[in-house]
Amino acid sequence: MRITILNPEQATKLLHYWGMFAAVCYNTQTNEPEKIGKHCLKSGHFSGSRSQYIIFKIEDCPRDTVDQLVRHEQGCCKNVRSFRYVNMEDFNCTIPSEIKDNRKLVAMWHLNMQNTRALYTAIENYVYEKTKSHERANEQARKCLPIHTDTTVCIGMDVEALIHLAHKRLCTRTEEELNTLTRAIVAHASAVIPELKPYLVCQCDYLGWCPEAKGCGKKPSKAMLDAIVKEHYNGKSN
């Protein structure tokens, strides 16, 4: 997967514009709006940040991973490459990591991909000759593409959406490709806006406890934390 921030100049000034947008709230007069943006970030006043998006172009990303990514709705805008309007006869599909140690399954995988590419091309050619429509040919041929076919997506996220993505998808229970993608998105965002780095972490690291129904054990559950707090304060009261 390859990631590019499409609006790096705007992204690096996000805190500046956040401050300009938020200054009206208290009629704050300043020629350093970035300070207001930083204060809003630290205090959790995010309304002013919703005017700004960081736009990521993500290439060579499995379509099933994109399907998971675009489930994030609030504070997001996105466009995914169309398999209807784009010819996919040279599609790439990443081999499942858990079968790489099995030579027989790896051979079957490559044979299946070879046969699928041949089928795609055959359908494409047949339907085009029949309809003289590249759009219709792509539309029909795409039906044989594996769900793990690589594609490209552009997604814009405001600060809250980016934090939410990190909180949810940096969890160890997240599917490996989406976890890897999220780590890369976080790394790119942190590089242009270092102030965001402490917030772009797994939710348990941010909260200090695990909100998942089935945690990995890295942090205590809420029930465990409640018991610790109860014991602590009962002990103090005694």
Side-chain angles (χ1 to χ4, degrees):
M1 289 181 277
R2 292 179 291 132
I3 298 178
T4 306
I5 294 180
L6 296 184
N7 61 337
E9 292 184 4
Q10 181 182 350
T12 56
K13 295 181 178 179
L14 185 146
L15 290 167
H16 174 91
Y17 290 117
W18 183 350
M20 289 179 63
F21 198 93
V24 69
C25 186
Y26 296 106
N27 194 28
T28 305
Q29 304 300 313
T30 180
N31 59 358
E32 297 181 283
E34 186 172 329
K35 289 185 177 180
I36 299 175
K38 290 180 179 180
H39 174 75
C40 289
L41 173 64
K42 186 176 181 179
S43 60
H45 288 246
F46 286 97
S47 58
S49 70
R50 295 171 194 155
S51 66
Q52 301 298 311
Y53 281 75
I54 305 174
I55 304 173
F56 302 90
K57 182 179 182 181
I58 304 165
E59 301 174 271
D60 302 327
C61 183
R63 181 57 188 257
D64 55 334
T65 302
V66 171
D67 288 346
Q68 294 295 311
L69 176 66
V70 299
R71 290 175 63 191
H72 292 262
E73 290 288 343
Q74 299 299 319
C76 297
C77 58
K78 52 260 186 177
N79 272 311
V80 182
R81 175 168 293 169
S82 171
F83 290 171
R84 183 183 188 189
Y85 297 108
V86 178
N87 181 281
M88 297 296 296
E89 63 182 354
D90 293 324
F91 75 89
N92 183 57
C93 203
T94 306
I95 191 168
S97 59
E98 291 291 353
I99 73 165
K100 290 181 179 179
D101 59 349
N102 188 310
R103 294 178 62 183
K104 181 178 179 180
L105 287 177
V106 169
M108 291 174 65
W109 166 269
H110 287 301
L111 179 60
N112 183 57
M113 291 302 103
Q114 181 180 340
N115 290 337
T116 302
R117 290 187 183 92
L119 176 60
Y120 181 98
T121 300
I123 294 174
E124 174 84 20
N125 292 338
Y126 174 76
V127 175
Y128 178 74
E129 288 300 318
K130 186 177 180 180
T131 66
K132 303 304 179 185
S133 168
H134 288 296
E135 178 183 322
R136 183 63 172 166
N138 292 339
E139 178 186 84
Q140 294 293 294
R142 68 176 176 172
K143 299 181 187 300
C144 73
L145 290 174
I147 193 172
H148 209 56
T149 299
D150 283 354
T151 189
T152 297
V153 58
C154 282
I155 183 167
M157 288 181 279
D158 65 19
V159 171
E160 287 174 295
L162 193 56
I163 291 173
H164 181 257
L165 176 74
H167 282 186
K168 295 299 183 183
R169 304 305 189 177
L170 291 180
C171 176
T172 57
R173 299 184 68 245
T174 302
E175 191 171 5
E176 58 182 321
E177 289 89 358
L178 185 54
N179 185 274
T180 298
L181 173 60
T182 303
R183 291 181 187 280
I185 290 174
V186 165
H188 279 72
S190 298
V192 295
I193 312 174
E195 291 84 357
L196 292 181
K197 190 172 183 179
Y199 303 88
L200 301 181
V201 295
C202 183
Q203 193 168 24
C204 68
D205 289 325
Y206 188 77
L207 296 174
W209 56 276
C210 176
E212 293 284 328
K214 297 179 180 179
C216 68
K218 178 182 177 182
K219 297 287 185 179
S221 66
K222 188 173 187 302
M224 293 170 63
L225 186 63
D226 286 344
I228 293 171
V229 171
K230 184 178 180 180
E231 181 180 356
H232 173 75
Y233 279 98
N234 282 348
K236 288 186 68 174
S237 64
N238 291 336

